C-alpha cells in the first residue's frame, strides 16, 4: 500500500537470479502466465534462455519465485511505512494521515496491482501463492496491531483489541477504493490518495482516538 516494486534490476553474476525474477514478473504481468515463454523472460533479462533454465528449472518455478519475490518486496515496503507509526510525535492524526497515504500507494502501486491480478488469475494452478500473499498481509496487520497496542499503552489511542483496530484501519484505507484502482484499470490519482487517507484517519480516530 511508497511503491512496492521489485528492486531495480541488478547487474553482475551474483545478482543474475534477481535480474531474471524482475524480468520474469514484468513479462508475466504483461502477457499472463499461460502466454509467457521462457525466451521472452530471457530477452527481458538480457540473458540466454539456458541461463533462466539453469537457475530455475522451468516456467512454473520461475513464476513461483517471481511472485514470492514481489510479495517479499511488498512486505518490506508496507512494514517500513508501519514502522513510522511507532513514533507519532505530538500529532497522531498527521502521522496516521501520512502513513495511511503511503500504505494506499503501496497497495495501488503497479507491481502490487499486477501481483493481485496474477495471483487471482492463477489461483487454481498455484493455490499456495494465494496463501503466500495472505501471509504477507497477515504480517503487515500484526505489525500494525503491535504499533496500535503500544500507542494504546502510551495513552495515545483508546482500544482494547489492537488486532481488530488494525483490520479496521486497513479496511478504511483500501475498502473505499474502486476496483479500477485496486486492479490497475487506471492509476490512482494523488488527490484520491489524500482523500482516502484523511477520511480513514478521521473515522479511525473518532472510534479509537484518546
Amino acid at each position: 500500500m511508497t511503491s512496492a516494486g521489485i528492486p531495480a534490476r541488478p547487474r553482475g553474476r551474483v545478482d543474475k537470479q534477481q535480474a531474471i525474477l524482475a524480468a520474469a514478473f514484468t513479462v508475466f504481468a504483461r502477457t499472463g502466465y499461460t502466454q509467457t515463454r521462457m525466451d521472452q523472460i530471457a530477452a527481458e533479462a538480457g540473458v540466454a534462455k539456458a541461463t533462466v533454465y539453469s537457475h530455475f528449472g522451468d516456467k512454473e518455478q520461475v513464476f513461483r519465485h517471481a511472485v514470492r519475490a514481489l510479495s517479499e518486496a511488498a512486505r518490506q515496503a508496507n512494514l517500513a511505512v508501519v514502522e513510522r507509526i511507532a513514533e507519532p510525535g505530538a500529532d497522531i492524526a498527521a502521522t496516521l494521515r501520512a502513513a495511511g497515504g503511503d500504505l494506499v500507494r503501496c497497495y495501488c502501486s503497479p507491481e502490487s496491482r499486477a501481483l493481485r491480478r496474477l495471483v487471482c488469475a492463477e489461483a487454481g494452478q498455484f493455490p499456495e501463492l494465494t496463501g503466500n500473499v495472505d501471509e504477507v498481509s497477515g504480517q503487515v496487520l500484526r505489525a500494525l496491531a503491535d504499533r496500535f497496542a503500544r500507542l494504546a499503552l502510551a495513552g495515545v489511542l483508546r482500544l482494547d483489541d489492537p488486532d481488530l483496530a488494525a483490520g479496521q484501519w486497513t479496511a478504511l484505507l483500501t475498502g473505499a477504493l474502486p476496483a479500477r484502482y485496486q486492479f490497475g484499470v487506471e492509476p490512482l490519482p494523488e488527490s484520491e490518495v489524500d482523500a482516502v487517507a484523511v477520511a480513514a484517519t478521521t473515522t479511525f480516530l473518532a472510534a479509537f482516538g484518546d
Side-chain angles (χ1 to χ4, degrees), residues 87-109:
E87 300 293 340
D91 193 342
I92 183 62
T95 297
L96 290 179
R97 284 195 298 270
D102 282 343
L103 287 173
V104 170
R105 291 182 184 93
C106 283
Y107 184 75
C108 289
S109 72

Side-chain angles (χ1 to χ4, degrees), residues 108-122:
C108 289
S109 72
E111 296 85 1
S112 290
R113 296 194 310 257
L115 178 62
R116 284 193 293 278
R117 290 196 304 270
L118 280 171
V119 169
C120 288
E122 306 302 333

Side-chain angles (χ1 to χ4, degrees), residues 86-158:
E87 300 293 340
D91 193 342
I92 183 62
T95 297
L96 290 179
R97 284 195 298 270
D102 282 343
L103 287 173
V104 170
R105 291 182 184 93
C106 283
Y107 184 75
C108 289
S109 72
E111 296 85 1
S112 290
R113 296 194 310 257
L115 178 62
R116 284 193 293 278
R117 290 196 304 270
L118 280 171
V119 169
C120 288
E122 306 302 333
Q125 186 169 353
F126 301 95
E128 77 280 7
L129 296 181
T130 302
N132 179 256
V133 172
D134 286 344
E135 175 56 25
V136 169
S137 297
Q139 289 180 30
V140 175
L141 279 173
R142 289 191 292 273
L144 188 57
D146 176 73
R147 298 303 180 275
F148 286 166
R150 296 183 190 189
L151 292 175
L153 286 174
V156 178
L157 295 177
R158 185 185 66 254

Side-chain angles (χ1 to χ4, degrees), residues 9 19-53 59 62-63:
R9 219 170 283 165
I20 294 170
L21 291 178
F25 190 84
T26 297
V27 178
F28 284 128
R30 186 168 62 227
T31 64
Y33 174 78
T34 302
Q35 298 301 317
T36 293
R37 303 189 313 271
M38 292 288 266
D39 62 308
Q40 293 172 313
I41 294 172
E44 186 76 23
V47 300
K49 185 167 67 172
T51 302
V52 181
Y53 279 108
K59 188 172 78 168
V62 176
F63 184 74

Side-chain angles (χ1 to χ4, degrees), residues 58-76:
D58 56 30
K59 188 172 78 168
E60 285 191 11
Q61 291 305 313
V62 176
F63 184 74
R64 286 190 172 95
H65 281 85
V67 169
R68 287 171 184 152
L70 202 289
S71 298
E72 174 59 19
R75 184 186 73 86
Q76 292 180 11

